[in-house]
Coordinates of all heavy atoms in Angstrom, one line a residue:
S103 N -43.2 -16.7 82.7 CA -43.5 -15.3 82.2 C -42.2 -14.8 81.4 O -41.9 -15.3 80.4 CB -43.9 -14.4 83.3 OG -42.9 -14.4 84.3
Y104 N -41.5 -13.8 82.0 CA -40.5 -13.2 81.3 C -39.3 -14.2 81.1 O -38.5 -14.1 80.2 CB -39.9 -11.9 82.0 CG -39.2 -12.2 83.2 CD1 -37.9 -12.4 83.2 CD2 -39.9 -12.3 84.4 CE1 -37.1 -12.6 84.4 CE2 -39.3 -12.5 85.6 CZ -37.8 -12.7 85.6 OH -37.2 -12.9 86.8
G105 N -39.2 -15.1 82.0 CA -38.1 -16.1 81.9 C -38.6 -17.5 81.3 O -37.9 -18.5 81.5
L106 N -39.7 -17.4 80.5 CA -40.1 -18.7 79.9 C -39.1 -19.4 79.1 O -38.8 -20.6 79.3 CB -41.3 -18.4 79.1 CG -41.9 -19.6 78.3 CD1 -42.4 -20.7 79.1 CD2 -43.1 -19.1 77.3
L107 N -38.5 -18.7 78.2 CA -37.5 -19.4 77.3 C -36.3 -19.9 78.0 O -35.8 -21.1 77.7 CB -37.1 -18.4 76.2 CG -38.3 -17.9 75.3 CD1 -37.7 -17.1 74.1 CD2 -39.2 -19.0 74.8
E108 N -35.8 -19.2 79.0 CA -34.6 -19.7 79.8 C -35.1 -20.9 80.7 O -34.3 -21.9 80.8 CB -34.3 -18.6 80.8 CG -33.6 -17.4 80.2 CD -34.5 -16.4 79.6 OE1 -35.8 -16.6 79.7 OE2 -34.1 -15.4 78.9
S109 N -36.3 -21.0 81.1 CA -36.8 -22.2 81.8 C -36.9 -23.3 80.9 O -36.7 -24.6 81.3 CB -38.2 -21.9 82.5 OG -38.0 -20.9 83.4
I110 N -37.4 -23.1 79.6 CA -37.4 -24.2 78.6 C -36.0 -24.7 78.4 O -35.8 -25.9 78.2 CB -38.1 -23.7 77.2 CG1 -39.5 -23.4 77.5 CG2 -37.8 -24.6 76.2 CD1 -40.5 -24.6 77.5
E111 N -35.0 -23.8 78.2 CA -33.7 -24.2 78.0 C -33.1 -25.0 79.2 O -32.4 -26.0 79.0 CB -32.8 -23.0 77.8 CG -33.2 -22.3 76.4 CD -32.5 -21.0 76.3 OE1 -32.0 -20.4 77.2 OE2 -32.4 -20.5 75.1
E112 N -33.6 -24.7 80.4 CA -33.2 -25.5 81.6 C -33.6 -26.9 81.5 O -32.9 -27.9 81.7 CB -33.6 -24.9 82.9 CG -33.0 -25.7 84.1 CD -33.5 -25.2 85.4 OE1 -34.6 -24.8 85.6 OE2 -32.7 -25.1 86.3
I113 N -34.9 -27.1 81.1 CA -35.4 -28.5 81.1 C -34.8 -29.2 80.0 O -34.6 -30.5 80.0 CB -37.0 -28.5 81.1 CG1 -37.5 -29.9 81.4 CG2 -37.6 -28.0 79.8 CD1 -39.1 -29.9 81.7
I114 N -34.6 -28.6 78.9 CA -33.8 -29.2 77.7 C -32.5 -29.7 78.2 O -32.0 -30.8 77.8 CB -33.8 -28.3 76.5 CG1 -35.2 -28.1 75.9 CG2 -32.8 -28.8 75.4 CD1 -35.3 -27.1 74.8
A115 N -31.8 -28.8 79.0 CA -30.4 -29.1 79.4 C -30.5 -30.3 80.4 O -29.6 -31.2 80.4 CB -29.8 -27.9 80.1
L116 N -31.5 -30.3 81.2 CA -31.7 -31.5 82.1 C -31.9 -32.7 81.3 O -31.4 -33.9 81.6 CB -32.8 -31.2 83.1 CG -32.6 -30.3 84.2 CD1 -33.9 -29.9 84.9 CD2 -31.6 -30.8 85.2
A117 N -32.8 -32.7 80.3 CA -33.0 -33.9 79.4 C -31.7 -34.3 78.8 O -31.4 -35.5 78.7 CB -34.1 -33.6 78.3
R118 N -30.9 -33.3 78.3 CA -29.6 -33.7 77.6 C -28.7 -34.3 78.5 O -28.0 -35.3 78.2 CB -29.1 -32.4 76.9 CG -28.1 -32.7 75.9 CD -27.6 -31.4 75.3 NE -28.6 -30.6 74.7 CZ -29.2 -30.7 73.6 NH1 -28.8 -31.7 72.8 NH2 -30.1 -29.9 73.1
Q119 N -28.5 -33.8 79.7 CA -27.5 -34.3 80.7 C -27.9 -35.6 81.3 O -27.1 -36.5 81.4 CB -27.3 -33.3 81.8 CG -26.3 -33.7 82.8 CD -25.7 -32.6 83.6 OE1 -25.4 -31.6 83.1 NE2 -25.6 -32.9 84.9
S120 N -29.2 -35.8 81.6 CA -29.6 -37.0 82.4 C -30.2 -38.2 81.5 O -30.2 -39.3 81.9 CB -30.7 -36.6 83.3 OG -31.9 -36.2 82.7
G121 N -30.7 -37.8 80.2 CA -31.2 -38.7 79.4 C -32.6 -39.1 79.8 O -33.3 -40.0 79.2
A122 N -33.2 -38.4 80.7 CA -34.6 -38.6 81.3 C -35.7 -38.2 80.3 O -35.5 -37.3 79.4 CB -34.8 -37.9 82.6
R123 N -36.8 -38.8 80.4 CA -38.0 -38.4 79.6 C -38.5 -37.2 80.4 O -38.8 -37.2 81.6 CB -39.1 -39.5 79.7 CG -38.6 -40.7 78.9 CD -39.5 -41.9 79.3 NE -40.9 -41.8 78.7 CZ -41.2 -42.1 77.4 NH1 -40.3 -42.6 76.6 NH2 -42.4 -41.9 77.0
C124 N -38.6 -36.0 79.7 CA -38.9 -34.8 80.4 C -40.2 -34.2 79.8 O -40.5 -34.2 78.5 CB -37.8 -33.7 80.2 SG -36.3 -34.2 81.1
H125 N -41.0 -33.6 80.7 CA -42.4 -33.2 80.3 C -42.6 -31.8 80.9 O -42.4 -31.6 82.1 CB -43.4 -34.2 80.9 CG -44.8 -33.8 80.4 ND1 -45.3 -34.2 79.2 CD2 -45.8 -33.1 80.9 CE1 -46.6 -33.8 79.0 NE2 -46.9 -33.1 80.1
V126 N -43.0 -30.9 80.0 CA -43.2 -29.5 80.4 C -44.7 -29.4 80.8 O -45.6 -29.6 80.0 CB -43.0 -28.5 79.3 CG1 -43.4 -27.0 79.7 CG2 -41.5 -28.5 78.9
S127 N -45.0 -29.2 82.1 CA -46.3 -29.0 82.6 C -46.9 -27.7 82.2 O -46.2 -26.7 82.2 CB -46.4 -29.2 84.1 OG -45.9 -30.5 84.5
H128 N -48.3 -27.7 81.8 CA -49.0 -26.5 81.5 C -48.2 -25.4 80.9 O -48.1 -24.3 81.4 CB -49.8 -26.0 82.7 CG -49.1 -26.0 84.0 ND1 -47.9 -25.2 84.2 CD2 -49.2 -26.6 85.2 CE1 -47.4 -25.4 85.4 NE2 -48.3 -26.3 86.0
L129 N -47.7 -25.7 79.7 CA -47.0 -24.7 78.9 C -47.9 -23.4 78.7 O -49.0 -23.5 78.3 CB -46.6 -25.3 77.5 CG -45.8 -24.3 76.6 CD1 -44.6 -23.9 77.2 CD2 -45.7 -24.9 75.2
K130 N -47.3 -22.3 79.1 CA -48.0 -21.0 78.9 C -47.0 -19.9 78.9 O -45.8 -20.0 79.1 CB -48.9 -20.8 80.1 CG -48.2 -20.6 81.5 CD -49.1 -20.3 82.6 CE -50.0 -21.4 83.1 NZ -49.2 -22.4 83.9
A131 N -47.5 -18.7 78.4 CA -46.8 -17.4 78.5 C -47.7 -16.5 79.4 O -48.6 -15.9 78.9 CB -46.5 -16.9 77.2
S132 N -47.3 -16.3 80.6 CA -48.0 -15.6 81.6 C -47.6 -14.1 81.6 O -46.4 -13.8 81.7 CB -47.9 -16.2 83.0 OG -48.7 -15.5 83.9
G133 N -48.6 -13.2 81.7 CA -48.3 -11.8 81.7 C -48.4 -11.2 80.3 O -47.8 -11.7 79.3
Y134 N -49.0 -10.0 80.3 CA -49.4 -9.4 79.0 C -48.0 -9.2 78.1 O -48.1 -9.4 76.8 CB -50.1 -8.1 79.1 CG -51.2 -8.1 80.1 CD1 -51.3 -7.2 81.2 CD2 -52.2 -9.0 80.1 CE1 -52.3 -7.3 82.2 CE2 -53.2 -9.1 81.0 CZ -53.2 -8.2 82.0 OH -54.2 -8.2 83.0
S135 N -47.0 -8.8 78.7 CA -45.7 -8.5 78.0 C -45.1 -9.7 77.4 O -44.3 -9.6 76.5 CB -44.8 -7.7 78.8 OG -44.3 -8.6 79.9
N136 N -45.6 -10.9 77.8 CA -45.0 -12.1 77.3 C -45.8 -12.9 76.3 O -45.4 -14.0 75.9 CB -44.7 -13.1 78.5 CG -43.8 -12.4 79.5 OD1 -42.7 -12.0 79.2 ND2 -44.3 -12.2 80.7
W137 N -47.0 -12.4 76.0 CA -48.0 -13.0 75.1 C -47.2 -13.3 73.7 O -46.5 -12.4 73.2 CB -49.2 -12.3 74.9 CG -50.1 -12.3 76.1 CD1 -49.9 -13.0 77.3 CD2 -51.3 -11.7 76.2 NE1 -50.9 -12.8 78.1 CE2 -51.8 -12.0 77.5 CE3 -52.2 -10.9 75.4 CZ2 -53.1 -11.6 78.0 CZ3 -53.3 -10.4 75.9 CH2 -53.9 -10.8 77.2
G138 N -47.4 -14.4 73.2 CA -46.7 -14.7 71.9 C -45.5 -15.6 72.0 O -45.0 -16.2 71.1
K139 N -44.9 -15.7 73.3 CA -43.7 -16.5 73.5 C -43.9 -18.0 73.5 O -42.9 -18.7 73.3 CB -43.1 -16.1 74.8 CG -42.4 -14.8 74.9 CD -41.7 -14.5 76.3 CE -41.0 -13.2 76.3 NZ -40.3 -13.0 77.6
V140 N -45.1 -18.4 73.5 CA -45.4 -19.9 73.4 C -44.8 -20.4 72.1 O -44.3 -21.6 72.1 CB -46.8 -20.3 73.6 CG1 -47.1 -21.6 73.2 CG2 -47.2 -20.0 75.1
G141 N -45.0 -19.7 71.0 CA -44.4 -20.1 69.7 C -42.9 -20.2 69.8 O -42.4 -21.2 69.3
D142 N -42.3 -19.3 70.5 CA -40.8 -19.5 70.6 C -40.4 -20.6 71.5 O -39.5 -21.4 71.2 CB -40.2 -18.2 71.2 CG -40.4 -17.0 70.4 OD1 -40.4 -17.1 69.1 OD2 -40.5 -15.9 70.9
A143 N -41.2 -20.9 72.5 CA -40.9 -22.0 73.4 C -41.2 -23.4 72.6 O -40.3 -24.3 72.7 CB -41.9 -22.0 74.6
L144 N -42.1 -23.4 71.8 CA -42.4 -24.6 71.0 C -41.3 -24.8 70.0 O -40.9 -26.0 69.8 CB -43.7 -24.5 70.3 CG -45.0 -24.6 71.2 CD1 -46.2 -24.1 70.4 CD2 -45.1 -26.0 71.7
A145 N -40.7 -23.8 69.5 CA -39.6 -23.9 68.6 C -38.4 -24.5 69.2 O -37.6 -25.4 68.7 CB -39.3 -22.6 67.9
L146 N -38.1 -24.1 70.4 CA -37.0 -24.6 71.3 C -37.2 -26.2 71.5 O -36.4 -27.0 71.4 CB -36.9 -23.9 72.5 CG -36.3 -22.5 72.5 CD1 -36.3 -21.8 73.9 CD2 -34.8 -22.6 72.0

């Protein structure tokens, strides 16, 4: 929800540090005030 982009950044940091294949499960922006953030998440 409000922390979607920060959570995306954490999984990217995990991928960068570990070299692991990382997969974001059920990507979404939950909660009315967060609608539209999926585009920003995809950009990251």
Side-chain angles (χ1 to χ4, degrees):
S103 59
Y104 72 88
L106 171 62
L107 301 184
E108 291 81 0
S109 295
I110 292 286
E111 288 169 347
E112 181 183 44
I113 196 171
I114 290 172
L116 285 167
R118 196 179 304 279
Q119 179 163 321
S120 68
R123 297 164 70 84
C124 292
H125 186 84
V126 176
S127 295
H128 43 59
L129 177 64
K130 66 172 75 75
S132 185
Y134 313 127
S135 64
N136 302 300
W137 289 0
K139 285 186 179 179
V140 165
D142 297 328
L144 290 166
L146 288 172

